[in-house]
Amino acid sequence: MDDKNPQIRSIVRKMWIGLGCAVLLFAGYIFYLSLSGLPTFEELENPKYDFASQILASDHTTLGRLYIENRVPVKYRDISPNVIKALIATEDVRFEKHSGVDAEAVARVAAKTVLLANRGSGGGSTITQQLAKLLYSDRDFGDMGRLRRTLALINIKLKEWITAIRLERSYTKEEILTMYLNKFNFIYGAYGIQAAAETYFSKSNSELTVPEAAVLVGMLKNPSLYNPVRRREQATKRRNTVLKRMYSNGDLSEAEYEKYIAEPIKIQFKPKSHIDGDATYFRMEVGKEVSQIIRKMDLRKSDGSLYDMYRDGLKIYTSIDIDMQQIAEKTMLQHMNNVQKNLWREWKGKDPWTYHADATQKAIREASMKNLVRSSDRYITMRQNEFEQDLDELESKFPELNFTDIEFDIWTAAERNGLDKTAKRYRITDDQKEIYAKVMADPEYKIAVAKWQQFRKNVRTEFAKKVKMKVFAYNAMGEKDTVMTPYDSIRYHRMFLQTGIVAIDPATGQVKVWVGGINHKYFKFDHIRTKRQVGSTFKPFVYASAITFLGISPCMRVTDQQYTISPGEGQFGLIKSWSPGNAEGRFSGKSMTLYEGLKESRNSVSVYLMKQLKSTRTVLELVNNMGIDKSKVPAQPSICLGAADLTVLEMTGAYASFANNGTYIEPSFIQKIEDKNGKIIYKKTSDEKQALSPDINYVMVDMLKYAVRGAAGFGGIKSEIGGKTGTTNDYVDGWFMGITPSLVVGTWVGGDDRWIHFNSLTYGQGSKMARPFFSEFIRQLELQKVSDYDPNARFPIPPGPQTIVTDCSQYQRSDVITQPKDTIKKKEGEDDFFQ
């Protein structure tokens, strides 16, 4: 026995030495791992998230989001307690006690799972480890064999342990829970607990019930396997497991537990996309505007990089009034449906692409349709799949070319007519012509052109086949099922008249309503900033200039007759006489006041006033001070009839000056931008400009009020209202600019193609195309008692005696002016008025 003791002691000693070496090796390996392939301190302090930026309405409700990942950061205090309790009870019951790694759980897994092969023993990962896995771990094992995969997994687990411990040292328990719930991908584009609550239950996470919270926490184990949309049975079992653990943890009573597990999962599934939410057109414009602000203002983060509105979780505060916006969108759809019905009736049996079109017009319209076909998703997909892969050889030889459709059009035309003749037609430069000649001489070119010709045949065949599809319709869904050729569907959609509507608070310049079209899904182009001819809506600027500089009264009478501005007259610089007619094509010969001239939109009166002004300068200076860049307005007398292309936003901003006592405030819709931490990085400042004196402005408001007096649609409205219609040549554009003391609304209606229009004044004038929207919109604001709209507000009356007579019964001048005076005496201070 004594002989054996030394042997036993030697074995024991060797075992202890071996164990010590193993511990040292393990410790050394852990130390090695801590120095390699782990996140740095800076990375731990600033983990990378892609947060969605929120677009907020004036009441701070969410209009929509801009994102790569639909993730909205929520603070711990805003997370539902039901979610927190479910998460801790299910994933990490000792969360508050450990320091990142739960030794007890690891021992349990080692003993039961590894030694006893009990797979139901549960996992050993803490919430902190799971966060480390989400933030920094890479588990792509690729084509590894079983042994390599096992070793790699052990290596990754050890790294996650170290990272978890570091996270615990860097963050509080509450911060770790918040980071984990904000980071997790709940699938269907729902990143984080807030987006998940909205996607699966159509509510904020703070409103989640216990069973709903249990569903989402259950998904943390495997969101695809426990998907409540597609795998309801598995999701229910997993939810009940979460509820059972909450009961075991003392978070639920037995009665509550029994009640909740008996309930079916009730989801309200609404997956989100960029177009979801109110004011879709507006939100798309916000994205463009914010991008410009970031670049222009050079807004940078602490690391020196520019803010990214799709990743940095900005809060964008806008001026949009959600109640007004929703009323406007609903009213617009009702109104435009009626307008469209009238258009269908007028065009029944006629083809807009050939009707009253000469050869040149037909060619323009055919080219437009060809471009529309080529820009369609169907065509682009066909080109990618059937043609583009055959261009590799040519593209490698001529990298300076894009091999676009128009280039193939040019080359095929050149084969028929010669390159020189084709170059003139397409206005090709000499350098382009030289390159094109080399392309056409290349052996690969013949092959490419042959395939191009075959592709074009395939396109014609494909676009002529009738297929099942959805198209836009004025119904509750905004679309309908039909059978139609793709080519006819393009023509069908181009036949719809579009609209652009803006409402501005004149006292602040803040945009309250933005409707860029009739349906963003089918018509993505926004018409608010599109230049269209403004027609008679420009006339009030001419009247205001004449009243200001000539000192005339709106009671002054003018004969409705043809007036001529001759070459050399005034400072117009005409080279031939200009004698425009009235819209009706005739003159009444009657005398009328300026009130009546504006109300009836007589071209003769506007031409007369322009003659009196002797120059366009005063009008251009006025509109410039009302926010319309004078360089955009032609310095021609025809502007008195509206021969200027301007945007709805510009016109509405200018008319807002009338409603704001003559003061112009630049329209704005982004009030401030905050970063994800609530720091203000941009705040809008507004500059005011006195465009008209209060006395003159009062006269113009009175004239605009007279212009709508007795007009159809305004009966029963309490608000004080003024406005002006506008109709352009061939009834292409219909306008109405409406003003009230607290809201100014600009409305444009027309076709995206200039040949899509009414054919007569019956329905093709601004009073039918645009004004009915305004009257009904104001009526609905009153009926629905929108809090930010005051129907009892009244336009201000300047104090003291009025310098210009507006009461025509008191107007003493009885003579009728039929010819302009030879000279107009300059008023005192005229040159200083627009300073």
PDB file of all heavy atoms in Angstrom, residues 94-118:
ATOM      1  N   ARG A  94     -32.706  35.306 -14.733  1.00  0.00           N
ATOM      2  CA  ARG A  94     -31.734  35.866 -13.796  1.00  0.00           C
ATOM      3  C   ARG A  94     -31.019  37.079 -14.391  1.00  0.00           C
ATOM      4  O   ARG A  94     -29.885  37.391 -14.022  1.00  0.00           O
ATOM      5  CB  ARG A  94     -30.724  34.782 -13.401  1.00  0.00           C
ATOM      6  CG  ARG A  94     -31.241  33.815 -12.345  1.00  0.00           C
ATOM      7  CD  ARG A  94     -30.241  32.723 -12.046  1.00  0.00           C
ATOM      8  NE  ARG A  94     -30.029  31.844 -13.181  1.00  0.00           N
ATOM      9  CZ  ARG A  94     -30.845  30.848 -13.529  1.00  0.00           C
ATOM     10  NH1 ARG A  94     -31.914  30.598 -12.786  1.00  0.00           N
ATOM     11  NH2 ARG A  94     -30.617  30.103 -14.586  1.00  0.00           N
ATOM     12  N   PHE A  95     -31.694  37.771 -15.305  1.00  0.00           N
ATOM     13  CA  PHE A  95     -31.089  38.895 -16.021  1.00  0.00           C
ATOM     14  C   PHE A  95     -30.524  39.952 -15.076  1.00  0.00           C
ATOM     15  O   PHE A  95     -29.437  40.501 -15.299  1.00  0.00           O
ATOM     16  CB  PHE A  95     -32.133  39.520 -16.949  1.00  0.00           C
ATOM     17  CG  PHE A  95     -31.665  40.758 -17.673  1.00  0.00           C
ATOM     18  CD1 PHE A  95     -30.709  40.662 -18.676  1.00  0.00           C
ATOM     19  CD2 PHE A  95     -32.167  42.012 -17.348  1.00  0.00           C
ATOM     20  CE1 PHE A  95     -30.275  41.799 -19.350  1.00  0.00           C
ATOM     21  CE2 PHE A  95     -31.733  43.141 -18.011  1.00  0.00           C
ATOM     22  CZ  PHE A  95     -30.782  43.039 -19.020  1.00  0.00           C
ATOM     23  N   GLU A  96     -31.246  40.243 -14.010  1.00  0.00           N
ATOM     24  CA  GLU A  96     -30.817  41.300 -13.094  1.00  0.00           C
ATOM     25  C   GLU A  96     -29.645  40.873 -12.214  1.00  0.00           C
ATOM     26  O   GLU A  96     -29.009  41.723 -11.577  1.00  0.00           O
ATOM     27  CB  GLU A  96     -31.985  41.726 -12.191  1.00  0.00           C
ATOM     28  CG  GLU A  96     -33.170  42.339 -12.937  1.00  0.00           C
ATOM     29  CD  GLU A  96     -32.834  43.691 -13.552  1.00  0.00           C
ATOM     30  OE1 GLU A  96     -31.795  44.278 -13.159  1.00  0.00           O
ATOM     31  OE2 GLU A  96     -33.586  44.159 -14.418  1.00  0.00           O
ATOM     32  N   LYS A  97     -29.320  39.571 -12.182  1.00  0.00           N
ATOM     33  CA  LYS A  97     -28.318  39.076 -11.245  1.00  0.00           C
ATOM     34  C   LYS A  97     -26.955  38.802 -11.866  1.00  0.00           C
ATOM     35  O   LYS A  97     -25.942  38.833 -11.165  1.00  0.00           O
ATOM     36  CB  LYS A  97     -28.830  37.794 -10.575  1.00  0.00           C
ATOM     37  CG  LYS A  97     -30.117  37.998  -9.779  1.00  0.00           C
ATOM     38  CD  LYS A  97     -30.619  36.681  -9.204  1.00  0.00           C
ATOM     39  CE  LYS A  97     -31.932  36.889  -8.431  1.00  0.00           C
ATOM     40  NZ  LYS A  97     -32.463  35.620  -7.890  1.00  0.00           N
ATOM     41  N   HIS A  98     -26.910  38.470 -13.153  1.00  0.00           N
ATOM     42  CA  HIS A  98     -25.629  38.100 -13.757  1.00  0.00           C
ATOM     43  C   HIS A  98     -24.938  39.321 -14.370  1.00  0.00           C
ATOM     44  O   HIS A  98     -25.519  40.404 -14.474  1.00  0.00           O
ATOM     45  CB  HIS A  98     -25.807  36.995 -14.802  1.00  0.00           C
ATOM     46  CG  HIS A  98     -26.660  37.396 -15.983  1.00  0.00           C
ATOM     47  ND1 HIS A  98     -26.271  38.315 -16.915  1.00  0.00           N
ATOM     48  CD2 HIS A  98     -27.896  36.970 -16.364  1.00  0.00           C
ATOM     49  CE1 HIS A  98     -27.201  38.447 -17.823  1.00  0.00           C
ATOM     50  NE2 HIS A  98     -28.211  37.652 -17.514  1.00  0.00           N
ATOM     51  N   SER A  99     -23.717  39.119 -14.817  1.00  0.00           N
ATOM     52  CA  SER A  99     -22.923  40.198 -15.411  1.00  0.00           C
ATOM     53  C   SER A  99     -22.648  39.940 -16.888  1.00  0.00           C
ATOM     54  O   SER A  99     -21.570  40.237 -17.409  1.00  0.00           O
ATOM     55  CB  SER A  99     -21.599  40.348 -14.658  1.00  0.00           C
ATOM     56  OG  SER A  99     -21.826  40.697 -13.317  1.00  0.00           O
ATOM     57  N   GLY A 100     -23.612  39.371 -17.552  1.00  0.00           N
ATOM     58  CA  GLY A 100     -23.471  39.116 -18.986  1.00  0.00           C
ATOM     59  C   GLY A 100     -23.501  37.653 -19.332  1.00  0.00           C
ATOM     60  O   GLY A 100     -24.046  37.249 -20.365  1.00  0.00           O
ATOM     61  N   VAL A 101     -22.900  36.810 -18.497  1.00  0.00           N
ATOM     62  CA  VAL A 101     -22.902  35.363 -18.687  1.00  0.00           C
ATOM     63  C   VAL A 101     -23.501  34.736 -17.441  1.00  0.00           C
ATOM     64  O   VAL A 101     -23.075  35.026 -16.314  1.00  0.00           O
ATOM     65  CB  VAL A 101     -21.476  34.818 -18.928  1.00  0.00           C
ATOM     66  CG1 VAL A 101     -21.501  33.300 -19.063  1.00  0.00           C
ATOM     67  CG2 VAL A 101     -20.872  35.456 -20.176  1.00  0.00           C
ATOM     68  N   ASP A 102     -24.479  33.872 -17.616  1.00  0.00           N
ATOM     69  CA  ASP A 102     -25.156  33.220 -16.495  1.00  0.00           C
ATOM     70  C   ASP A 102     -24.489  31.866 -16.253  1.00  0.00           C
ATOM     71  O   ASP A 102     -24.748  30.890 -16.961  1.00  0.00           O
ATOM     72  CB  ASP A 102     -26.637  33.047 -16.829  1.00  0.00           C
ATOM     73  CG  ASP A 102     -27.439  32.533 -15.640  1.00  0.00           C
ATOM     74  OD1 ASP A 102     -26.817  32.122 -14.643  1.00  0.00           O
ATOM     75  OD2 ASP A 102     -28.676  32.538 -15.723  1.00  0.00           O
ATOM     76  N   ALA A 103     -23.610  31.805 -15.253  1.00  0.00           N
ATOM     77  CA  ALA A 103     -22.853  30.576 -14.975  1.00  0.00           C
ATOM     78  C   ALA A 103     -23.780  29.416 -14.658  1.00  0.00           C
ATOM     79  O   ALA A 103     -23.533  28.271 -15.062  1.00  0.00           O
ATOM     80  CB  ALA A 103     -21.883  30.813 -13.820  1.00  0.00           C
ATOM     81  N   GLU A 104     -24.847  29.689 -13.934  1.00  0.00           N
ATOM     82  CA  GLU A 104     -25.801  28.629 -13.569  1.00  0.00           C
ATOM     83  C   GLU A 104     -26.444  28.040 -14.813  1.00  0.00           C
ATOM     84  O   GLU A 104     -26.598  26.821 -14.933  1.00  0.00           O
ATOM     85  CB  GLU A 104     -26.865  29.190 -12.624  1.00  0.00           C
ATOM     86  CG  GLU A 104     -27.844  28.138 -12.106  1.00  0.00           C
ATOM     87  CD  GLU A 104     -28.861  28.728 -11.144  1.00  0.00           C
ATOM     88  OE1 GLU A 104     -28.540  29.747 -10.489  1.00  0.00           O
ATOM     89  OE2 GLU A 104     -29.970  28.165 -11.044  1.00  0.00           O
ATOM     90  N   ALA A 105     -26.829  28.919 -15.745  1.00  0.00           N
ATOM     91  CA  ALA A 105     -27.463  28.431 -16.974  1.00  0.00           C
ATOM     92  C   ALA A 105     -26.470  27.650 -17.818  1.00  0.00           C
ATOM     93  O   ALA A 105     -26.812  26.627 -18.422  1.00  0.00           O
ATOM     94  CB  ALA A 105     -28.018  29.617 -17.769  1.00  0.00           C
ATOM     95  N   VAL A 106     -25.217  28.115 -17.867  1.00  0.00           N
ATOM     96  CA  VAL A 106     -24.194  27.403 -18.635  1.00  0.00           C
ATOM     97  C   VAL A 106     -23.959  26.027 -18.046  1.00  0.00           C
ATOM     98  O   VAL A 106     -23.845  25.023 -18.769  1.00  0.00           O
ATOM     99  CB  VAL A 106     -22.873  28.217 -18.650  1.00  0.00           C
ATOM    100  CG1 VAL A 106     -21.749  27.394 -19.282  1.00  0.00           C
ATOM    101  CG2 VAL A 106     -23.065  29.518 -19.415  1.00  0.00           C
ATOM    102  N   ALA A 107     -23.916  25.939 -16.713  1.00  0.00           N
ATOM    103  CA  ALA A 107     -23.716  24.643 -16.056  1.00  0.00           C
ATOM    104  C   ALA A 107     -24.889  23.717 -16.342  1.00  0.00           C
ATOM    105  O   ALA A 107     -24.708  22.514 -16.569  1.00  0.00           O
ATOM    106  CB  ALA A 107     -23.552  24.846 -14.552  1.00  0.00           C
ATOM    107  N   ARG A 108     -26.101  24.266 -16.316  1.00  0.00           N
ATOM    108  CA  ARG A 108     -27.286  23.450 -16.593  1.00  0.00           C
ATOM    109  C   ARG A 108     -27.233  22.878 -18.005  1.00  0.00           C
ATOM    110  O   ARG A 108     -27.495  21.688 -18.226  1.00  0.00           O
ATOM    111  CB  ARG A 108     -28.538  24.302 -16.427  1.00  0.00           C
ATOM    112  CG  ARG A 108     -29.837  23.506 -16.612  1.00  0.00           C
ATOM    113  CD  ARG A 108     -31.044  24.420 -16.765  1.00  0.00           C
ATOM    114  NE  ARG A 108     -30.995  25.123 -18.027  1.00  0.00           N
ATOM    115  CZ  ARG A 108     -31.079  26.424 -18.159  1.00  0.00           C
ATOM    116  NH1 ARG A 108     -31.163  27.202 -17.086  1.00  0.00           N
ATOM    117  NH2 ARG A 108     -31.048  26.988 -19.358  1.00  0.00           N
ATOM    118  N   VAL A 109     -26.856  23.728 -18.959  1.00  0.00           N
ATOM    119  CA  VAL A 109     -26.769  23.272 -20.353  1.00  0.00           C
ATOM    120  C   VAL A 109     -25.695  22.194 -20.481  1.00  0.00           C
ATOM    121  O   VAL A 109     -25.894  21.171 -21.134  1.00  0.00           O
ATOM    122  CB  VAL A 109     -26.471  24.460 -21.285  1.00  0.00           C
ATOM    123  CG1 VAL A 109     -26.156  23.958 -22.693  1.00  0.00           C
ATOM    124  CG2 VAL A 109     -27.653  25.413 -21.318  1.00  0.00           C
ATOM    125  N   ALA A 110     -24.544  22.412 -19.837  1.00  0.00           N
ATOM    126  CA  ALA A 110     -23.452  21.442 -19.927  1.00  0.00           C
ATOM    127  C   ALA A 110     -23.855  20.102 -19.343  1.00  0.00           C
ATOM    128  O   ALA A 110     -23.584  19.043 -19.909  1.00  0.00           O
ATOM    129  CB  ALA A 110     -22.218  21.993 -19.213  1.00  0.00           C
ATOM    130  N   ALA A 111     -24.528  20.144 -18.203  1.00  0.00           N
ATOM    131  CA  ALA A 111     -24.888  18.904 -17.520  1.00  0.00           C
ATOM    132  C   ALA A 111     -26.021  18.172 -18.222  1.00  0.00           C
ATOM    133  O   ALA A 111     -25.937  16.969 -18.482  1.00  0.00           O
ATOM    134  CB  ALA A 111     -25.276  19.206 -16.072  1.00  0.00           C
ATOM    135  N   LYS A 112     -27.085  18.907 -18.517  1.00  0.00           N
ATOM    136  CA  LYS A 112     -28.271  18.245 -19.059  1.00  0.00           C
ATOM    137  C   LYS A 112     -28.206  18.025 -20.569  1.00  0.00           C
ATOM    138  O   LYS A 112     -28.537  16.956 -21.063  1.00  0.00           O
ATOM    139  CB  LYS A 112     -29.514  19.059 -18.719  1.00  0.00           C
ATOM    140  CG  LYS A 112     -29.820  19.100 -17.212  1.00  0.00           C
ATOM    141  CD  LYS A 112     -31.141  19.826 -16.949  1.00  0.00           C
ATOM    142  CE  LYS A 112     -31.478  19.809 -15.461  1.00  0.00           C
ATOM    143  NZ  LYS A 112     -32.767  20.498 -15.186  1.00  0.00           N
ATOM    144  N   THR A 113     -27.776  19.066 -21.283  1.00  0.00           N
ATOM    145  CA  THR A 113     -27.801  18.952 -22.745  1.00  0.00           C
ATOM    146  C   THR A 113     -26.645  18.117 -23.261  1.00  0.00           C
ATOM    147  O   THR A 113     -26.823  17.229 -24.090  1.00  0.00           O
ATOM    148  CB  THR A 113     -27.753  20.355 -23.377  1.00  0.00           C
ATOM    149  OG1 THR A 113     -28.802  21.142 -22.834  1.00  0.00           O
ATOM    150  CG2 THR A 113     -27.903  20.271 -24.888  1.00  0.00           C
ATOM    151  N   VAL A 114     -25.449  18.396 -22.743  1.00  0.00           N
ATOM    152  CA  VAL A 114     -24.266  17.702 -23.278  1.00  0.00           C
ATOM    153  C   VAL A 114     -24.128  16.309 -22.686  1.00  0.00           C
ATOM    154  O   VAL A 114     -24.020  15.321 -23.399  1.00  0.00           O
ATOM    155  CB  VAL A 114     -23.002  18.545 -23.009  1.00  0.00           C
ATOM    156  CG1 VAL A 114     -21.767  17.803 -23.520  1.00  0.00           C
ATOM    157  CG2 VAL A 114     -23.114  19.914 -23.657  1.00  0.00           C
ATOM    158  N   LEU A 115     -24.159  16.219 -21.324  1.00  0.00           N
ATOM    159  CA  LEU A 115     -23.901  14.931 -20.680  1.00  0.00           C
ATOM    160  C   LEU A 115     -25.105  14.008 -20.718  1.00  0.00           C
ATOM    161  O   LEU A 115     -24.971  12.813 -20.954  1.00  0.00           O
ATOM    162  CB  LEU A 115     -23.448  15.160 -19.233  1.00  0.00           C
ATOM    163  CG  LEU A 115     -22.148  15.972 -19.068  1.00  0.00           C
ATOM    164  CD1 LEU A 115     -21.834  16.162 -17.589  1.00  0.00           C
ATOM    165  CD2 LEU A 115     -21.003  15.262 -19.776  1.00  0.00           C
ATOM    166  N   LEU A 116     -26.308  14.576 -20.463  1.00  0.00           N
ATOM    167  CA  LEU A 116     -27.500  13.733 -20.382  1.00  0.00           C
ATOM    168  C   LEU A 116     -28.324  13.730 -21.670  1.00  0.00           C
ATOM    169  O   LEU A 116     -29.349  13.069 -21.745  1.00  0.00           O
ATOM    170  CB  LEU A 116     -28.383  14.208 -19.215  1.00  0.00           C
ATOM    171  CG  LEU A 116     -27.715  14.207 -17.833  1.00  0.00           C
ATOM    172  CD1 LEU A 116     -28.688  14.750 -16.788  1.00  0.00           C
ATOM    173  CD2 LEU A 116     -27.251  12.807 -17.473  1.00  0.00           C
ATOM    174  N   ALA A 117     -27.869  14.488 -22.687  1.00  0.00           N
ATOM    175  CA  ALA A 117     -28.551  14.547 -23.989  1.00  0.00           C
ATOM    176  C   ALA A 117     -30.006  14.957 -23.850  1.00  0.00           C
ATOM    177  O   ALA A 117     -30.874  14.465 -24.557  1.00  0.00           O
ATOM    178  CB  ALA A 117     -28.436  13.191 -24.705  1.00  0.00           C
ATOM    179  N   ASN A 118     -30.275  15.852 -22.909  1.00  0.00           N
ATOM    180  CA  ASN A 118     -31.643  16.355 -22.700  1.00  0.00           C
ATOM    181  C   ASN A 118     -31.800  17.676 -23.452  1.00  0.00           C
ATOM    182  O   ASN A 118     -31.401  18.735 -22.994  1.00  0.00           O
ATOM    183  CB  ASN A 118     -31.892  16.555 -21.205  1.00  0.00           C
ATOM    184  CG  ASN A 118     -33.305  17.068 -20.936  1.00  0.00           C
ATOM    185  OD1 ASN A 118     -34.108  17.228 -21.865  1.00  0.00           O
ATOM    186  ND2 ASN A 118     -33.615  17.323 -19.672  1.00  0.00           N
TER     187      ASN A 118
END
